[in-house]
Each structure stands twice: as structure tokens, then as C-alpha cells.
Amino acid sequence: MAEQEISYDAILRTEIAIEILNQARAIVTARVYELEGTDPGAAEALRLRRRDLIAAQQNITVADRQTVEDLIALWGPRVKDEARFWAEF
């Protein structure tokens, strides 16, 4: 079977999507640390949501351009504005 050539742009966009989800995870992780002492239940709920981000990140593939673009469109604006992030998270 002939290998399909993957464009540099596709690889770059995939890396951008991964980095955006890294930023989202960092925002959630910071909030988890803030809540651990005062509201352990809320901290655990955020840990579960963070696991969903990890799962989404682990399922990103260069071959799935539409998912990559959807992630960039959805999460990119959120990680740029923390208030928006929490409102939409």
C-alpha cells in the first residue's frame, strides 16, 4: 500500500490543536489547585473534565483535518480569554 503524503500544513495545524488543548488543561489544572483545599468536590469534578480534554488531545490525528480545525475553532478563542473559557467550559 502506498503511503499517503501528509502536508506540512496539516502537521502544523495538528500541533496547534494539541497546544491549544494543553493550554486548556493548564487553565483547568490551575483552578483544581485553587479549589483543592476549599472545595474538594469541585476540584474532583474539574479533574474529570480535564480527563476529557486529555482524551480529546490523545485522539487528535493529522489525518483527521476536520477534527483538528474544529478543535482550533472551538478551543482557540476560549484559551485566549479565561472568562470566556469558564463560561463555555
Side-chain angles (χ1 to χ4, degrees):
M1 182 179 341
E3 287 188 34
Q4 213 176 21
E5 189 171 316
I6 298 172
S7 74
Y8 179 74
D9 183 57
I11 294 168
L12 184 61
R13 299 294 288 173
T14 302
E15 290 297 321
I16 289 169
I18 290 168
E19 180 55 31
I20 287 170
L21 288 181
N22 277 337
Q23 291 175 15
R25 288 176 41 212
I27 292 168
V28 174
T29 299
R31 181 67 58 94
V32 166
Y33 287 136
E34 289 173 8
L35 293 173
E36 280 181 327
T38 58
D39 193 348
E44 185 57 30
L46 286 177
R47 282 188 193 94
L48 293 173
R49 302 278 310 272
R50 183 177 59 195
R51 288 183 191 120
D52 294 339
L53 289 173
I54 292 168
Q57 188 177 32
Q58 290 175 340
N59 289 319
I60 296 173
T61 64
V62 173
D64 190 357
R65 289 290 300 259
Q66 188 57 52
T67 298
V68 167
E69 294 305 321
D70 290 348
L71 286 169
I72 291 170
L74 178 66
W75 290 97
R78 288 178 178 177
V79 299
K80 290 179 184 177
D81 178 2
E82 195 165 334
R84 178 177 178 180
F85 179 89
W86 290 113
E88 295 178 4
F89 186 66

